[in-house]
Amino acid sequence: MNYAISRFNTVRRKTREVLVGGNVGIGGNNPIRIQSMTTSNTLDVDATVAQCIRLAEAGSELIRVTAPSVPAARALKDIHAKFRAAGFSQPLVADIHFLPAAAMEAIEHVEKVRINPGNYADKKSPTGAPRDYTDAEYAEELERVHDAVAPLIRRAKELGRALRIGTNHGSLAERTLRRFGDTPAGMVEAALEFVRICEAENFRDLVLSMKSSNPKVMIEAYRLAAVRMAEEGMDYPMHLGVTEAGEGEDARIKSAIGIGSLLVDGIGDTIRVSLTEDPWRELPVCREILSRIIPEKTLIAGSVPANAPVSDRDVDPLEFHRRPVVSVKFNDKCGIDAGTPPRVFAFADVEKPLEEIIREVRAANAKSAPVEGLVLPVATESDLAAACELQCALEDEIPAFVFDPVKDSVPELFARFSPSRRSATYVQRRFNPANAEIVPAWAALCRDKGVGLVVDSTAAARAAVLPHLKNFPQEKLIFTTSRKAPGVHPVGAYRQLAQALANADIRAPIWIRASAKNTVLPFSKIPTATPDEAPALEAALLAGPLLCDGIGDVVSVETAGTLRKNLELAYAVLQGARARQTRTEYVACPSCGRTLYDIQATVREIKARTAHLDGVTIGVMGCIVNGPGEMADADFGYVGGAPGKINLYVRRECVATGIPQSEAVDRLVALIKEHGRWKDA
């Protein structure tokens, strides 16, 4: 069963409407809702009310407040009353982990309660050791959970409240881990177990979520949830988010990849961008992501696009596999194959003097994040001569060069062209239905010169273009599409390309180009994003879903203004999609009332000390609720263990506890050094 109506068009998944508080509908024909969460101590009623007001004024349509204890849940009564007295109507949502008693108190005071199926009334082995479950024991566990959660369900039904069944990748129950593993399948089954209990109680005012700090895991989990719900006749709306995304540009990119990948496929009814920043800063990012999805959105209204549903050959959307690709050698140190990460190309600004271009390229060409291909636009013979001179100067530093003639260029432009033999050389050409007949001439030129051909084609031209390339060496071909096509979103255009190549048995590389003509929004109509933020979000929304599908062997960003920034963004998107790690990765929670120290300042301090540690992943977590689990793939972890006290982790193992916060960052650095992962900046 397909998880989406179409992978080419955005057709929103049809769900039931869940009305929260009588005034905010989630799912159905409602707009996609945006929300955030307070970070204050819930027992500080006035501070929490002030944050709720600021979030409401910033546009949050639902506001979540943690209730880590029964007294905190009891405080929700005054928080709710004061928030309403201030003139605000946004529903409040209580966030519950571990404590059914806190949930039972919270349901009395707020419009919605989120519970985590991984730790709500979860029963650990008496010995603390992992155990296997027979079918009978598993069924007995589910009966126990039913008994524990049924009182909350019944009270929610009596009061007209809604529930969110919110699975976290980092806090699955023992029974789930033992049977399904730490997997998207386990996340989905954990939620559906609770949904079935709710349905047995005839309660269906439910929203589901499948959050993870890893966008790939999160995407697979939500897709699988859509499939499993359809199989079981369920139509519940879903809340999207990449948890523990961190702060700054990297966090925005990770969130855009995870949330955007699902929204573009029509999945998602409410979203939160989790940032380790003040919570009101999350809402503009939510709006920016939605502004790039809504123009593509079509609600299901009885008719389905002609090209849907779709099953992509060579792509398994429910389990990550890299698209098959031929082996390509640029030089002795760099190339493309199924075992290498996607490569990064950059465009040279040929309007600048040659010496300035060389300086700019060398300044940007970092060892850990290099320019692996340089694109050189050419329009005249003098342009070609300058491009050849530039290649000659940089061929020992850059593995591949792409000569990019203007659209009306003819092969004769390259008659006296003598390519380098120490680096790979390609000629790029755009083909459309009106000029497909020129493909043989350009293919002959490339054969004669011994260079590769980059085929930039529209979907409409491929039926005419691909047969001309049947006998062209696949290791000398790269395919791309540099602008949007009518009738499909930009991600869908690349999926069409991948499908067309699979149908033609072509395994040549695909180059994802985040160009000004390939943005979701027209680049001249970018709404309110800062100049730096818009290119990052656009690149993430285009390349991220494709990379998480295993599509893409080369990536370029062409909208950030400078070669250096374009290069940085390309590597940031690759890292956000877990396709290639070239710098320190941070998994950091957004903070809430459970956080036991100043996490924002701590993240900034840790980044200042460790940002140069290429390939190291550091988790920074406010508390132990989800922290150790969500940072399970981190090399080192910094977790709040008690007020003002920090626990340190190496991978999943806690190696030090109760460290005073004033000493903890130094101890973290010492731990990294002790394990041989430190290097001087």
Side-chain angles (χ1 to χ4, degrees), residues 84-101:
R84 292 286 175 263
F88 295 92
S89 61
Q90 284 86 346
L92 298 185
V93 183
D95 192 67
I96 304 292
H97 293 270
F98 296 113
L99 298 176

Side-chain angles (χ1 to χ4, degrees), residues 368-447:
S368 61
V371 178
E372 292 168 320
L374 189 64
V375 185
L376 306 170
V378 295
T380 65
E381 288 189 10
S382 61
D383 291 340
L384 182 59
C388 288
E389 188 177 352
L390 188 60
Q391 181 181 24
C392 214
L394 294 171
E395 62 185 348
D396 290 329
E397 302 165 55
I398 296 177
F401 291 81
V402 178
F403 291 80
D404 187 16
V406 296
K407 64 180 181 180
D408 56 353
S409 297
V410 295
E412 286 72 25
L413 172 65
F414 292 87
R416 291 194 291 273
F417 175 48
S418 180
S420 165
R421 299 302 175 194
R422 296 208 299 274
S423 57
T425 303
Y426 291 83
V427 172
Q428 179 169 241
R429 192 69 175 86
R430 179 168 174 77
F431 301 109
N432 56 53
N435 72 357
E437 73 279 356
I438 68 175
V439 175
W442 285 93
L445 165 74
C446 292
R447 282 181 182 278

Side-chain angles (χ1 to χ4, degrees), residues 247 276-277 598-609:
E247 58 93 42
T276 313
E277 302 176 19
D598 183 350
I599 193 169
Q600 291 186 32
T602 301
V603 168
R604 290 193 293 269
E605 182 181 359
I606 290 173
K607 279 187 144 183
R609 299 279 296 274

